[in-house]
Amino acid sequence: MVSHDAPASLALQPLRIPAGWAIGWNSLYANLRADRGAFGGSSLFNATHAARRFYIDVAFRPEFDPAGRFHLAVDYQPWPRTARGARRSDVPLRFDGDAETVHQGETASFDELVDMLEAWLARCAGWTREGN
């Protein structure tokens, strides 16, 4: 019998990801089950949308605990500004102390996590947080 957690049987969860996102890493495997303590690591998924200046991170805490929960955080990094208040596009995107957490959510359900993640990926791909 093959274990469902064996590396050969792992399949990434299909996700609907709009254009513009850069995926840093994705270890959301569709057949791993949280109730068996299968999730661990400080971050399971992260993505950055540089043009919209959003960062999404998914973690599972406590690690490898069957009673743990998925945590989703959405951060926004404001545009750096000139002394006159205009956007500076010449500065590389870095998430720093000025970043704002615009959403935090948690769930024990993997299916609910996928729905929440896809909704925030879609929302942030078209969301303009601040004007010129």
Side-chain angles (χ1 to χ4, degrees):
M1 174 180 228
V2 175
S3 167
H4 292 290
D5 295 341
S9 67
L10 297 179
L12 286 174
Q13 170 65 40
L15 295 170
R16 292 174 291 186
I17 301 174
W21 287 98
I23 308 304
W25 55 81
N26 179 8
S27 57
L28 294 175
Y29 294 102
N31 56 343
L32 290 180
R33 299 214 9 224
D35 61 357
R36 291 192 305 209
F39 288 100
S42 59
S43 179
L44 301 172
F45 175 92
N46 86 34
T48 303
H49 197 300
R52 299 289 184 191
R53 306 184 68 78
F54 286 103
Y55 174 81
I56 296 179
D57 185 71
V58 175
F60 188 82
R61 295 188 301 259
E63 294 183 61
F64 303 110
D65 184 343
R69 299 176 67 81
F70 296 100
H71 294 261
L72 181 140
V74 180
D75 292 337
Y76 174 76
Q77 179 67 46
W79 285 93
R81 302 286 179 164
T82 66
R84 299 184 74 187
R87 280 186 187 177
R88 291 192 54 200
S89 59
D90 61 330
V91 178
L93 175 61
R94 277 184 234 124
F95 286 82
D96 60 22
D98 292 333
E100 306 166 17
T101 299
V102 295
H103 175 77
Q104 288 186 355
E106 68 176 61
T107 181
S109 165
F110 185 79
D111 291 337
E112 189 175 318
L113 168 70
V114 170
D115 290 344
M116 191 178 358
L117 177 57
E118 288 181 337
W120 279 99
L121 287 165
R123 179 176 182 182
C124 292
W127 188 9
T128 302
R129 278 281 287 166
E130 58 185 298
N132 297 335

